[in-house]
Amino acid sequence: MTAARPARVWITRTQPGAGRTAERLRDLGLTPVIAPLLTVEPLAPSLPDLDQFAALVFTSTNGVDAYAALTPRRDHPVLTVGDATADAAKGISFSNIRSASGDLTALARLIAAEPPAGPILAAVAETPVGDLAEAVRLAGGLAEITTASVYRTTPAPCSPPPAFDAVLVHSPRAGRLLATLGEPALAHAVIACISVAAAAPLTALGLSPALSNAPNEDALLKTLQEALGNREQPV
């Protein structure tokens, strides 16, 4: 009997994260297909005087990479949205790091519950996924937050790979771009989304994405495996 072909999984996230995800998929016995829907462009803003800040905030690994190119300073405490971003900060030699292990709301709660002893500088995208300062306020925090736009994401040509069995959606913006392909192009595939916001544009098409139970890649990949297993079960 011929062994089943490994599922081909379309990775829609930006590089270099797409490459890291591909390695993890190979370890799971799956075949990664990298075709990002977004590209990342580092920006070169003039950072404010870093001595005035008590801590830094990173909401993505892209923010960490872009910040690293702007300054050699690594002496601030760091707060991150999730564990992958914390690992990226550790990888560029930050040592005092706290992760919210979640999404923007979880990060806001962490800042509100354990505020740094002074103003915060958040290194974010030019068009951030949400208003961190407002989220902190809603969480009952009073932290003073200054944002620095250190990168921007722009749409890449949106065309699917020649063949894929599943799709990973790491962000709401990727979900919106994926949805522009229309339901017929995606109906055959397992779609695994990292959050409700990432899944919403696809749900609006009448699709039924598998939803990660936490906004991190560990949970997303577990969701993908479960969804693929369910798809492979006989009807």
Side-chain angles (χ1 to χ4, degrees):
M1 180 180 295
T2 302
R5 170 183 57 79
R8 294 164 296 200
V9 183
W10 178 9
I11 303 170
T12 63
R13 70 182 304 197
T14 59
Q15 289 284 24
R20 294 191 289 266
T21 299
E23 292 179 4
R24 299 190 67 183
L25 289 175
R26 291 188 191 98
D27 289 342
L28 295 173
L30 302 171
T31 301
V33 182
I34 298 176
L37 294 175
L38 294 161
T39 58
V40 176
E41 178 188 348
L43 302 177
S46 296
L47 293 176
D49 180 8
L50 296 177
D51 287 336
Q52 67 181 297
F53 298 102
L56 303 175
V57 163
F58 295 113
T59 58
S60 71
T61 57
N62 291 325
V64 174
D65 294 339
Y67 179 88
L70 296 174
T71 174
R73 291 278 299 269
R74 304 290 187 266
D75 53 316
H76 287 84
V78 168
L79 299 98
T80 69
V81 69
D83 297 342
T85 306
D87 288 343
K90 184 177 179 180
I92 63 167
S93 299
F94 283 103
S95 58
N96 184 355
I97 304 167
R98 286 183 291 162
S99 170
S101 299
D103 55 11
L104 192 75
T105 299
L107 176 60
R109 289 172 179 161
L110 174 62
I111 294 171
E114 303 176 40
I120 298 169
L121 177 66
V124 298
E126 186 177 55
T127 305
V129 295
D131 187 334
L132 178 60
E134 176 64 8
V136 171
R137 186 189 68 79
L138 291 174
L142 300 173
E144 178 185 343
I145 300 175
T146 297
T147 59
S149 299
V150 295
Y151 73 97
R152 67 167 60 101
T153 55
T154 56
C158 190
S159 58
F164 60 96
D165 305 299
V167 190
L168 286 175
V169 184
H170 281 76
S171 70
R173 194 169 183 192
R176 291 192 294 271
L177 290 170
L178 187 65
T180 65
L181 295 175
E183 187 270 347
L186 300 167
H188 73 283
V190 167
I191 304 174
C193 297
I194 202 165
S195 66
V196 172
L202 301 158
T203 303
L205 290 180
L207 297 167
S208 300
L211 185 61
S212 176
N213 62 12
N216 60 67
E217 191 169 78
D218 287 344
L220 178 62
L221 295 184
K222 182 178 180 181
T223 296
L224 172 68
Q225 288 180 287
E226 292 173 349
L228 285 170
N230 292 336
R231 170 67 66 91
E232 291 166 1
Q233 292 175 2
V235 178

